[in-house]
Structure formats: structure tokens, C-alpha cells
Amino acid sequence: GVSWEGYGGNANYPLFPGAISPVDACLVAMTKENSEANMGWAGSGENLTANAQWADRESFLDNFARTGSIGTAAEGLSEKGETWNAALASTFEIAPGESKTVGFVLLWHFPGRLGVGNMYENWVERVTDTAMYLLDARERLVQNTVLFHDTLFDTTLPYYVVERLSSQMSSPSTQLCMWLKDNSFFGFEGLHGDGSGCCPMNCNHVWNYEQTLARLFPEIEKRMRVIDLEHQMEDNGAVHHRVAYPLRGKVTGPGAVCDGQASTISKTYREHLLSSDNLFLERMWPKAKKAMEFMIRNWDGTDEDGVMRGKQFNTYDTNISGPNTFTGTQYLAALRAAEEMAKEMGDDAAAKRYRAIFEKGSKWLSENLFDGEYFVQEWPQAQPDHDYGLGCHADQLMGQWWANQSNLGYLLPKKQVKSAIRSIFKYDFIPDFSVFDYSLGHRVFVWGDGAGLICCTWPKGGKPGRIILYAEEVWTGIEYEVAALMIEEGLINEALAIVRTVYDRYTNGRNPWNEIECGDHYARAMSSWSILIAAQGFRYHGPKGILGFDPKLQQDNFKSFFSTAEGWGSFSQKREGKTQTNVIELKYGRLRLRQLELKPSVISLKDVKLELSGRPFPFERKVVGDRLVIDFPGPLTLKEGDLIKVVISW
């Protein structure tokens, strides 16, 4: 059943550009069983009329064609079992050559979701409040949206790269995610065809790959860490890899998994970096430390040699056994993240201990698992689990990807890392699937002459009897991860080839916003943002006020979007002759800075000049390694529209 509510218009609040209207109306459809749950139309135009009770489509359209009228609104609700339809119309005259705009907006308000309610219930009480908010705030909302779009797409990055970044930004706004009234945030792994969620909730070894939400909405992402460490962690430090909803009472769930446990620690450090102060880390560090200690006890053991052995359940939905760099480097990344957090919290004993374990593990994996081209798994011959053995696994450097995203350095020797990344492209990238023999019965995401990166191949034999699951599948979340790793290692053409194949796959008869795996809008695909971080050589530490860039491609003429804890903007770099010009322009929010790091092509510098919004600004400079470090005399807070210009000459 539907009822109608009308609001007097205000010429100062047009809903759409050019739609200065004497009347703004909101049509609301409400269920009889729950009058608070409703949907509606809002319109902005001349002579708005509403009809909330038409039922026969042919009669309605015939009357509209003959008379130009949609009928009149009526009060009340339909009887149980009877459905009414609603319509909203604007009638006006238009002269030759003239144009007019009429805006219609679909609105909804569904309170009480899961017994808690949606976050927007803190802001609006009913759907008509939403309409009035939109009327009031539309100009600001549109301006900021257009500004964000234009900043993101004003870039020297290939268009297909930016398309893959922007497309996966849509996933949090689908039914994949829920932001509830108590400020808790939850996400499924993916969506069923009917829009319902599959594989609940916040699965930490699938969301392990997500970077988009964390980079664009860091405060929301922090809610997931609070849930991980304050609701889903046992007293012994084990973090359940799926959230047991609702968040009350005894912690329950399916238990801890090694890659998800590691990612919880790595993500906690990332969220600290994407903060404006130390408050988040001060709250989370004791819990993150407990999670780190559980990981050491449970998978490393009493020898604490930095190598995980035994059963290691992971995102491939099975245990693997024995040392390997897929889960092993994630352990190393967690140790490094924990070391850095311990240092900042003054826990020197923990920092030294984690460093010692890391160094032993790094040395062992390097000396024992590198076969000359890539890293393999040392698996038990009894093969109790699903292993990859001597295979070239696309995820073999997942931990290195995490280390790169948080500026933690190399986990394994650089030469070995680059060789392994090159081997992944050589052996796992399939340029033409029309000649590929799907023999393992896995799901098929690429067919015909399409291209893609599969999870694992065995170019040198040594395939275990029970191989790791999903070996022949193509997951975009891993394709983006590998592409980001390639960019970091200077394998630019290979990285762009992978991203281009994903773009072609999803713009050729498929929904370009919906990358699938186990369901639609699969969360793992939000790893795409890592490509931007790699491409711009982004370095950021919010609490310390450190911002840095080191573009990895198009270094002589580079421009891209960047985001920080409290704002976002545009970074550019141009090199001409013996001069490099860098510009950082804040477009939204604010940015607190104490130090700026840049990388000129020549480190023997002749001069450095810096301006803030067109005026000289004091600074001190020094060279650290191959970077120019600019220190400001005190905390510098950029506001919207502020611009830092640095001109370096040598």
C-alpha cells in the first residue's frame, strides 16, 4: 500500500541544476505491516502532481497519453494482499530551442535492520527527511562528488587502470556491506544472484585483500578492526575469521585461520598509518600484540624460527601443510607490522623479539624455498592436505604485497622477489584461454580467447596428489595484487597487461562494476586500489605527519589522486632537463604535515624551492638514501585548495 506526503517548495533548494521549482513533492510508499519502512520518489519541477493509487498499467498509460494527467493522489493504504503503484509527474511548456530539467530521485528508509538499524537512522527518521536533506544539501553533495570524480580521473595513469580503481569503489554501497546504527560495519564475501549475501561476515582472509574501503573511508575500516580485536578475539589471542553476529555475549565463530590472523595484525598497522593521531593504536596495540603472540605460538611453535609449519587453513578453503611463502610471507609481514607498532608504543622488548623472529624466518624461507626462479612449498609426502608443492603460485608473495602497502620493506631478498614476480607472469598468465584445458573441474571465469592470471601452475612438475583448491581459477583480487607487486619491481608492461585483461573482461558484455568470484561484487576485488598505491610510490604516516611519493611509471610526467586520514587531493611530478617539479594540491578535507619525501632522478641537488599556495614557505632539507626529505618547522595543516609546489634542480 502507498500513501502520499507533499512539501511546499523553496526556490532556493532546487533538486537538480536549473530546476528552480515552486513546488517540491515527495511521494512515499509505506508497507501496511510496518509503516516506518518505506520508499518514495522526490521530484523537483513545475506543477508537480502525484498519484499513489493506480493499479492497472494499461489504463494508467492510456489516460496519461490522452490527457497528460497521471491522476490524483489519495490518502490511506491498500488492503492486505492488494498492491498499488505510485507516480510523480511535472507538467510544463517548452519553447523551440529551450531546455528544462526535471529531477526525480528514488528514496528509501528501512529502519531496524537486524534489530539494530542502519547508520542513516542516526541522521534521518523517515524517507521524507531524506528528501528534504537532499533538497537542502544537494549542491554541496553534487559539487563534492564531481570534484572527487574529476580529481580521480585527472591522471596520467591509463584509463583502464583508473576504471578498475573506480569500479570497485561501488562494492561497499551494494548489499555486500552493512553500516549499522551502532557504527559497526559488516561485509559478506559476495552476493547471490538475488542480492542476498553469501559467506558472512567480515571473512578476514577474503577481506585480507581489500584496500579500497580502507584508503577512502579509513574511519569505517577501523570499525572492522575494533570488531576483530574487541569482539572476535578469544582471550588467548585467536581472532575468529568470521564475525558472529550480533556482537554481544560470548565470542563465537569458526576459529582462527593463519592468513586471516596475520592480516588482522597487518591491517591494524595500516589503520594506524591512516589515522591523524595515536589514539587508535593506543587502544588496539595490547590486543594486536595478543593476536601476534597467538600466531607465534600456534603456527611457529616454541622454536620461534619465523617459519610456519603444520596445518595452515587459508583463503583457498583448505589446509596446506609445511613451510611456504604464501602464508609464510604473511606471517613475516605481520611480524614487521607488530614490530613497528611496538616501537611506536615504546614496547622495545616486543619490537626486538618480533624482529629477531622475522630475520630468522626470512633467512630460512630464502635459503630453503627459492628454486632459482620462484618460491615453492615444502610439503609432506603423505599429503594429508591440499598443497601446491613445486607449483608457481600466484599468491606466493602475498605478504610482500602487504609489506609494500605499508612501507615495511622487503621480507625476502629483492633479487628473489623480482624473479618470483616475473615467474608468476611467465607461468600463470594465460593470454588465450581458447587453448586452455580446464581439467580440474574448477569454476570458469574466463573462456574463449579471453586472458587472465590463474592461481597456480606446475611448469616443472612436482604436482601433489591433492593440489590446492581453485588452482585453475582466475580471481581479479589476485590479479590486482600481482599487478601491484609487478609495478613495485619495475615490471610495468606485465602489470598493465594484467589490468588491461581484467578491464577487457568486464567491459565486454559483463557488468563492469561487478567482479565475480564466490558471488557478485566479490570483496577480494577491492585489492585494485593497491595498484594506485604502487604506481605513485605512496608513503604516508598520519600520526607522524609524513607524506611521500615515488612514482613507478611515467616518472617524467605523472599525476594521480591520493587520499590520507582526513582528506584527498592530487599529486603531480614533471621532469624537464635538470629540474623536477612536484605539486600536491588538497581538494577536500585537511592534511596535517611535518615531513614531505620526494625522489628526484639525481640526488646531488643544486637547489630546492618550496611554495605554499603561491608564497615561499620555510623548510629544511636533507637527503636520506635516494630520497629528498623536506622538514617543516612545525605542524603544517593544509586545508581545501591549498597547494604545495616543490621545484628541485640539480
Side-chain angles (χ1 to χ4, degrees):
V2 292
S3 65
W4 176 82
E5 290 187 54
Y7 286 86
N10 186 324
N12 294 321
Y13 296 145
L15 189 59
F16 278 73
I20 304 298
S21 168
V23 177
D24 296 307
C26 179
L27 187 68
V28 181
M30 298 184 294
T31 65
K32 187 173 183 180
E33 291 76 17
N34 181 0
S35 62
E36 292 183 351
N38 49 67
M39 295 183 66
W41 286 106
S44 182
E46 301 175 23
N47 304 313
L48 280 172
T49 57
N51 183 343
Q53 292 189 9
W54 68 269
D56 182 80
R57 180 174 179 271
E58 290 186 3
S59 298
F60 173 80
L61 292 177
D62 179 66
N63 179 68
F64 179 67
R66 287 185 297 102
T67 68
S69 171
I70 62 171
T72 59
E75 296 295 331
L77 300 172
S78 65
E79 295 297 326
K80 186 175 182 179
E82 182 181 1
T83 297
W84 288 338
N85 300 299
L88 191 64
S90 172
T91 304
F92 56 89
E93 293 184 1
I94 187 167
E98 185 182 7
S99 65
K100 291 187 177 181
T101 299
V102 179
F104 297 97
V105 179
L106 179 63
L107 307 155
W108 60 88
H109 188 270
F110 300 132
R113 187 177 194 176
L114 297 178
V116 177
N118 290 299
M119 187 64 180
Y120 58 71
E121 293 178 59
N122 292 312
W123 308 323
V124 293
E125 294 183 359
R126 54 182 182 167
V127 73
T128 46
D129 296 331
T130 307
M132 298 311 293
Y133 167 76
L134 185 59
L135 290 168
D136 185 57
R138 185 189 180 279
E139 183 176 356
R140 173 178 60 83
L141 296 173
V142 170
Q143 286 178 349
N144 287 340
T145 301
V146 171
L147 178 64
F148 176 86
H149 171 277
D150 291 350
T151 304
L152 180 65
F153 281 85
D154 183 13
T155 180
T156 57
L157 293 172
Y159 70 94
Y160 52 86
V161 173
V162 187
E163 286 285 352
R164 290 302 89 197
L165 297 177
S166 64
S167 67
Q168 298 317 292
M169 288 163 43
S170 67
S171 292
S173 65
T174 69
Q175 288 292 89
L176 182 75
C177 298
M178 298 182 294
W179 192 10
L180 299 184
K181 192 174 181 178
D182 62 1
N183 201 23
S184 57
F185 189 87
F186 302 94
F188 295 95
E189 290 186 28
L191 296 173
H192 293 299
D194 62 1
S196 62
C198 68
C199 310
M201 297 291 301
N202 295 14
C203 179
N204 60 17
H205 61 188
V206 170
W207 282 78
N208 183 2
Y209 295 74
E210 173 266 313
Q211 294 286 345
T212 303
L213 181 72
R215 298 289 177 174
L216 293 176
F217 300 98
E219 293 303 313
I220 296 179
E221 183 77 31
K222 287 175 188 174
R223 298 303 306 163
M224 300 181 81
R225 301 294 79 73
V226 170
I227 291 172
D228 287 339
L229 295 172
E230 294 189 352
H231 294 279
Q232 287 303 110
M233 187 171 71
E234 299 280 2
D235 290 340
N236 64 1
V239 180
H240 290 276
H241 77 279
R242 294 187 188 277
V243 171
Y245 184 86
L247 301 177
R248 60 175 181 264
K250 179 177 173 57
V251 174
T252 59
V257 298
C258 64
D259 51 350
Q261 185 85 11
S263 76
T264 298
I265 300 162
S266 294
K267 287 183 283 192
T268 301
Y269 182 57
R270 176 191 62 191
E271 270 61 276
H272 168 58
L273 296 178
L274 292 170
S275 300
S276 59
D277 53 40
N278 285 324
L279 294 178
F280 174 79
L281 184 58
E282 289 171 357
R283 176 179 175 180
M284 292 293 113
W285 168 239
K287 303 169 182 65
K289 181 179 179 181
K290 184 182 290 187
M292 187 73 258
E293 292 297 330
F294 175 84
M295 190 164 199
I296 295 169
R297 290 195 311 272
N298 199 61
W299 286 288
D300 191 335
T302 57
D303 62 0
E304 297 189 359
D305 66 348
V307 181
M308 295 199 297
R309 296 177 173 83
K311 294 183 181 297
Q312 301 156 54
F313 197 87
N314 59 80
T315 197
Y316 290 86
D317 292 336
T318 183
N319 286 306
I320 59 175
S321 297
N324 66 89
T325 58
F326 160 47
T327 58
T329 57
Q330 293 186 68
Y331 177 38
L332 296 183
L335 285 165
R336 283 286 294 113
E339 177 193 349
E340 293 301 319
M341 288 188 283
K343 287 178 181 178
E344 294 198 31
M345 290 294 99
D347 193 342
D348 295 337
K352 291 177 181 178
R353 178 162 173 263
Y354 298 148
R355 183 71 189 191
I357 297 173
F358 161 77
E359 289 180 349
K360 287 187 286 185
S362 176
K363 185 174 186 293
W364 194 98
L365 296 179
S366 170
E367 292 178 352
N368 292 276
L369 298 184
F370 188 69
D371 77 346
E373 279 191 287
Y374 54 86
F375 295 95
V376 298
Q377 176 196 2
E378 183 182 279
W379 84 104
Q381 297 303 309
Q383 297 176 16
D385 298 307
H386 292 80
D387 301 304
Y388 64 90
L390 302 183
C392 182
H393 203 293
D395 248 346
Q396 64 184 271
L397 289 173
M398 175 65 182
Q400 185 61 61
W401 176 80
W402 257 113
N404 292 346
Q405 291 294 297
S406 298
N407 302 292
L408 293 172
Y410 280 95
L411 307 179
L412 297 165
K414 179 178 180 178
K415 185 176 181 180
Q416 291 181 347
V417 168
K418 186 168 185 176
S419 175
I421 291 298
R422 185 182 287 112
S423 297
I424 292 172
F425 187 82
K426 176 181 178 181
Y427 295 122
D428 296 343
F429 183 73
I430 310 298
D432 183 357
F433 270 86
S434 64
V435 297
F436 185 77
D437 178 22
Y438 283 105
S439 60
L440 301 179
H442 291 149
R443 297 166 298 187
V444 176
F445 297 121
V446 183
W447 54 84
D449 60 358
L453 187 84
I454 64 174
C455 292
C456 192
T457 59
W458 286 264
K460 304 175 185 179
K463 181 187 293 186
R466 297 179 67 194
I467 63 172
I468 194 166
L469 298 181
Y470 314 125
E472 291 180 344
E473 296 188 358
V474 176
W475 297 353
T476 60
I478 293 177
E479 289 179 300
Y480 294 138
E481 168 214 336
V482 170
L485 279 164
M486 289 177 172
I487 290 172
E488 294 278 1
E489 297 306 320
L491 304 176
I492 305 302
N493 292 335
E494 294 87 341
L496 295 181
I498 290 176
V499 180
R500 180 57 191 260
T501 63
V502 181
Y503 172 83
D504 290 343
R505 188 185 313 149
Y506 279 96
T507 55
N508 184 20
R510 298 189 187 185
N511 182 341
W513 292 276
N514 176 17
E515 295 184 7
I516 59 174
E517 194 186 309
C518 182
D520 294 334
H521 296 282
Y522 202 71
R524 199 190 314 270
M526 285 188 279
S527 65
S528 65
W529 202 263
S530 68
I531 295 171
L532 176 62
I533 302 301
Q536 61 191 191
F538 185 70
R539 172 179 170 80
Y540 179 66
H541 193 304
K544 292 184 178 179
I546 298 173
L547 178 67
F549 296 93
D550 176 17
K552 303 298 183 182
L553 67 162
Q554 301 166 309
Q555 295 169 331
D556 291 341
N557 184 23
F558 180 88
K559 189 174 186 180
S560 72
F561 173 96
F562 74 90
S563 61
T564 60
E566 301 174 293
W568 46 263
S570 179
F571 165 79
S572 66
Q573 175 172 294
K574 287 190 176 182
R575 290 174 177 169
E576 296 177 334
K578 295 184 178 182
T579 301
Q580 174 175 306
T581 302
N582 293 104
V583 175
I584 298 167
E585 183 176 2
L586 193 70
K587 298 295 187 73
Y588 181 88
R590 64 179 179 178
L591 172 58
R592 303 176 186 181
L593 282 181
R594 289 179 178 270
Q595 190 177 91
L596 179 62
E597 297 184 3
L598 301 168
K599 187 176 179 181
S601 59
V602 177
I603 207 61
S604 299
L605 304 180
K606 180 179 179 181
D607 191 24
V608 178
K609 296 179 180 179
L610 185 147
E611 294 180 351
L612 174 60
S613 299
R615 296 182 178 181
F617 193 81
F619 67 94
E620 295 181 359
R621 79 186 209 202
K622 58 187 175 185
V623 173
V624 179
D626 58 356
R627 295 175 181 267
L628 167 65
V629 176
I630 294 173
D631 289 312
F632 298 105
L636 170 65
T637 300
L638 303 185
K639 59 183 184 299
E640 294 177 13
D642 281 346
L643 181 149
I644 293 178
K645 180 179 179 180
V646 181
V647 180
I648 308 167
S649 58
W650 52 85

